[in-house]
Amino acid sequence: EFTQKGVESPFLANLESTKKCLQWHSAEVLTAPEGVNVLASSPACEVQAMSLGAQAFSMQYHVELTPTTVPEWGDIPAYKNALEANLGEGGLEQMIAGANAHMSTFNQDSRQLYNNFMHTTGLKV
């Protein structure tokens, strides 16, 4: 969910302020550094997206998804084991099904984020 700073951010323009996203990480920013605006937050991760100034943006949730991304991550034994330790047996299949169910929206959001970033930084789309 976007914070008020996220709602106001040109980086997140034209996106729904509450959305499904894919989070799969074992290392994360737990507290935003001084001067950084938290743009999005979730119950699982308080700092999902952040910005510093007008041209520095970061996010911890995954927007770079294709239909093969999660299965390819699952091919790495350490990743699969970590996921199943967290979600239980069959966790990988559960993550694949969830990602596939929302892939179209994930890809639309990814395109919008790219366009917003390019526009905000003054680069051509």
Side-chain angles (χ1 to χ4, degrees):
E1 184 172 345
F2 294 171
T3 64
Q4 185 57 42
K5 291 285 188 186
V7 170
E8 297 165 0
S9 173
F11 179 61
L12 299 176
N14 302 311
L15 291 166
E16 295 291 324
S17 63
T18 300
K19 62 177 63 293
K20 296 264 186 200
C21 64
L22 190 138
Q23 175 184 303
W24 180 348
H25 58 257
S26 57
E28 65 186 82
V29 174
L30 297 174
T31 304
E34 186 175 329
V36 168
N37 292 316
V38 175
L39 305 178
S41 184
S42 75
C45 181
E46 206 167 305
V47 183
Q48 285 287 9
M50 58 189 153
S51 67
L52 177 64
Q55 295 181 321
F57 302 97
S58 174
M59 60 186 52
Q60 296 196 93
Y61 67 94
H62 292 279
V63 298
E64 75 284 8
L65 301 172
T66 70
T68 63
T69 303
V70 177
E72 288 170 352
W73 290 342
D75 287 340
I76 301 169
Y79 289 5
K80 181 179 180 182
N81 293 340
L83 185 64
E84 293 197 343
N86 211 310
L87 296 179
E89 190 172 332
L92 176 60
E93 290 75 20
Q94 181 182 349
M95 181 74 79
I96 290 170
N100 287 341
H102 300 286
M103 191 62 62
S104 176
T105 302
F106 290 162
N107 291 162
Q108 289 169 11
D109 287 351
S110 181
R111 171 54 65 183
Q112 186 63 54
L113 283 165
Y114 171 80
N115 289 341
N116 291 349
F117 180 79
M118 296 298 281
H119 177 75
T120 301
T121 58
L123 301 171
K124 294 195 185 272
V125 177

